[in-house]
Each structure stands twice: as C-alpha cells, then as structure tokens.
Amino acid sequence: MSQATATGYADVVDLQRYPIDALDSERGRALVAACRDELRRAGVCQLPGFVVRDAVDRLVAQTTELASHAFRTDNTHTVYFEPADDSVPAGHPRTAQQRSAKQTIACDRIPVDSPIRRLYASDDLTRFIAAVLGKNELHRSADPLDAVMIALFDDGDELGWHFDRSEFAVTILYQDATEGGHFDYYPGLRSDESENYAGVQRVLEGDGEGVIRLASGPGTLAIFHGRCALHRVSPTAGPRPRINSVLTYGERPDMRLNKLTQDLFYGRNR
Ligand SMILES: O=C(O)CCC(=O)C(=O)O
Ligand SMILES: [Fe+2]
C-alpha cells in the first residue's frame, strides 16, 4: 500500500477492486460501464468495500472525536421539502409530515488530512462520479460547511421519506446502527411527467410494495438518483449510531449553500 500523504487517497480506496485512478484502462472502463448499468437498472449504484476497512475505522474514530462539534436537527417536512398545502386532504403527500432527526458535522470541522477529506479532494473520484452519471462536467461543492459532511444517526434518529432536490446524491457509509437505519428506496416513483400522488401516499401509509431495502455495509459508496426516487433512512435503535458522509457535486463550479440553508443544516453560516 502506498504511503498516505495529505493530498493522496491511495490508502483510502480499494484501488485493486475499484481502479478509479485508471479510468482509461480496460478495467477502469469496465468498472464505469458496470456502474452505469446498475444505476440505469436499479436507480442506484452501490460499491461495497469502496473505502477500505482501516480508513473506515479511522473515520469512525474521528467522528467520535468530533461529536461535540455536531449540530442536531430534529424537524418535520413534506416529502418535497416544501410548505404543507392546506388545500389538500389530510394524508395527501403535499401535506403529510415526515420527521428527520440527525446530527451533522460540517466539512470545516473535519481535518483536511482525514481520509474522507483527501478522498473528496481527489480529481479521480470527481471524474469517476461524472463518468458514472454520464456528465461531461462535474465540480465539487465550494461550500465550506456542506461540501462533504458527516451525518450521525443516534438512537431514535431517522431521515423521513423524501425526494431529493438535487438530481443525484453520493454517500459513503462508515457504520451501521445497532438496529434500523436502513436505506429504503423506491426508484422512479415519480417522474418529470407525473407526481404519482396516489403511489407516494401508499408508501407513506406503510405499503412496502416496490420499496427496496438496500443492503449496505461499512465502506459502501452509493450513487443514486434521489429526485424521482422516494427514499428514507428508517429509525435507528440501540447504542451504536449510524454514521455516513454525503458528498456534494454540481454541474457548475463555485456552488455554495445560501446562508439560510447553512443555518438550517449546520446551525451557523460562517
Ligand atoms: O443517509 C443516507 O443514506 C441517505 C441520505 C439522503 O437521502 C439525503 O441526504 O438526502
Ligand atoms: Fe435524500
């Protein structure tokens, strides 16, 4: 294994299995093709063991050290993250409230030489994700708080059912909760043509048909289209928290959250 440096990430990713440092090689092209295929078929692409065990262990330990800097949010929202529409009947997705409760550790609290900061900073990972998504141009977020963050789901925490506002999302799981904390996913439940309110309401009312509970483990990288897939993190239980990172990318350079959103997610805007 090569020496870890402040800028390298060779000690973080299983490059034998996932050669993101050689995307133009035959194996690199095969990896991208397989990921694109999985994303198209399942609406989500999961790479188990993408981050190696040793780096995962260091990230879990770092999260414990940083926990005093975490910001707790616990609130309700609709699946669209829009204000409730009082003109629709109770139970309609435009008014039904979902609960989200978790803690976030902002990017600027995570040491720059942390495995996740070094991985996020690498052009190789950005290029790989662009290739899987079929995008010519992709940029890392310039937001000092949100670019790459760590989320902690303690006993009883959850992320309620929602559609993402962004077209796609990238996550890396570090630790499963003792119980629960599953990523439940309904690919393509809505589309640009149809909101499918009846279908959404059925899921919100507990009908599990069509919902995929994705098996995931420490070190798994996931790339998914969350804008048309209803998804959630089910309530966690027990002493061991669920820990993961969300990595933010966009098609424009210099992307940042506005101060209102920074306040909402991180409890501060500087
Ligand atoms: O934590 C996860 O696995 C999913 C995160 C998610 O859905 C989101 O941040 O919008
Ligand atoms: Fe989401």
Side-chain angles (χ1 to χ4, degrees):
M1 187 173 286
S2 46
Q3 190 72 34
T5 66
T7 50
Y9 69 93
D11 61 319
V12 181
V13 174
D14 185 346
L15 290 172
Q16 299 301 318
R17 191 169 172 193
Y18 302 112
I20 62 167
D21 57 338
L23 290 183
D24 292 330
S25 70
E26 198 173 317
R27 291 187 58 240
R29 283 200 302 270
L31 170 65
V32 170
C35 291
R36 290 183 59 117
D37 191 49
E38 189 180 331
L39 191 58
R40 195 167 35 240
R41 268 188 301 106
V44 52
C45 164
Q46 282 185 302
L47 304 180
F50 183 82
V51 172
V52 297
R53 190 71 236 187
D54 179 61
V56 169
D57 289 346
R58 277 181 282 150
L59 282 157
V60 170
Q62 262 178 350
T63 304
T64 310
E65 284 164 25
L66 293 168
S68 62
H69 296 297
F71 175 66
R72 167 162 286 282
T73 54
D74 188 341
N75 46 44
T76 59
H77 53 83
T78 67
V79 297
Y80 309 103
F81 296 109
E82 281 168 12
D85 179 350
D86 295 331
S87 69
V88 295
H92 189 282
R94 285 265 163 217
T95 188
Q97 294 294 302
Q98 317 302 320
R99 171 177 179 253
S100 288
K102 65 171 191 223
Q103 298 187 74
T104 50
I105 298 170
C107 184
D108 65 356
R109 296 286 190 195
I110 308 170
V112 271
D113 63 353
S114 162
I116 187 57
R117 290 287 303 268
R118 289 187 285 114
L119 174 58
Y120 183 70
S122 79
D123 290 338
D124 288 351
L125 182 68
T126 308
R127 274 194 217 109
F128 171 64
I129 289 170
V132 172
L133 293 166
K135 295 191 183 299
N136 291 326
E137 208 179 325
L138 198 67
H139 300 273
R140 294 185 283 277
S141 163
D143 195 282
L145 307 183
D146 185 61
V148 58
M149 49 73 92
I150 297 173
L152 257 169
F153 295 80
D154 281 317
D155 193 356
D157 285 351
E158 64 185 305
L159 203 60
W161 288 110
H162 65 280
F163 294 107
D164 288 345
R165 312 277 311 216
S166 54
E167 177 200 330
F168 63 90
V170 180
T171 62
I172 299 176
L173 185 73
Y174 304 137
Q175 181 171 278
D176 279 316
T178 314
E179 277 178 68
H182 301 292
F183 187 62
D184 290 335
Y185 193 77
Y186 196 131
L189 186 56
R190 74 168 177 180
S191 64
D192 289 340
E193 288 75 43
S194 166
E195 284 290 350
N196 186 17
Y197 289 129
V200 176
Q201 186 162 347
R202 270 198 299 278
V203 176
L204 299 185
E205 287 171 353
D207 182 347
E209 181 155 8
V211 177
I212 303 164
R213 176 156 285 186
L214 288 164
S216 186
T220 299
L221 175 95
I223 305 173
F224 59 94
H225 286 299
R227 204 161 56 82
C228 291
L230 192 67
H231 58 282
R232 71 163 178 178
V233 176
S234 69
T236 56
R240 192 178 63 234
R242 177 187 197 259
I243 305 171
N244 73 348
S245 271
V246 178
L247 292 73
T248 299
Y249 298 90
E251 285 175 78
R252 287 173 293 108
D254 281 327
M255 264 194 340
R256 285 164 202 267
L257 295 180
N258 61 36
K259 286 189 184 303
L260 204 74
T261 312
Q262 285 182 328
D263 261 332
L264 204 64
F265 292 170
Y266 299 100
R268 62 194 162 98
N269 56 52
R270 43 169 289 173

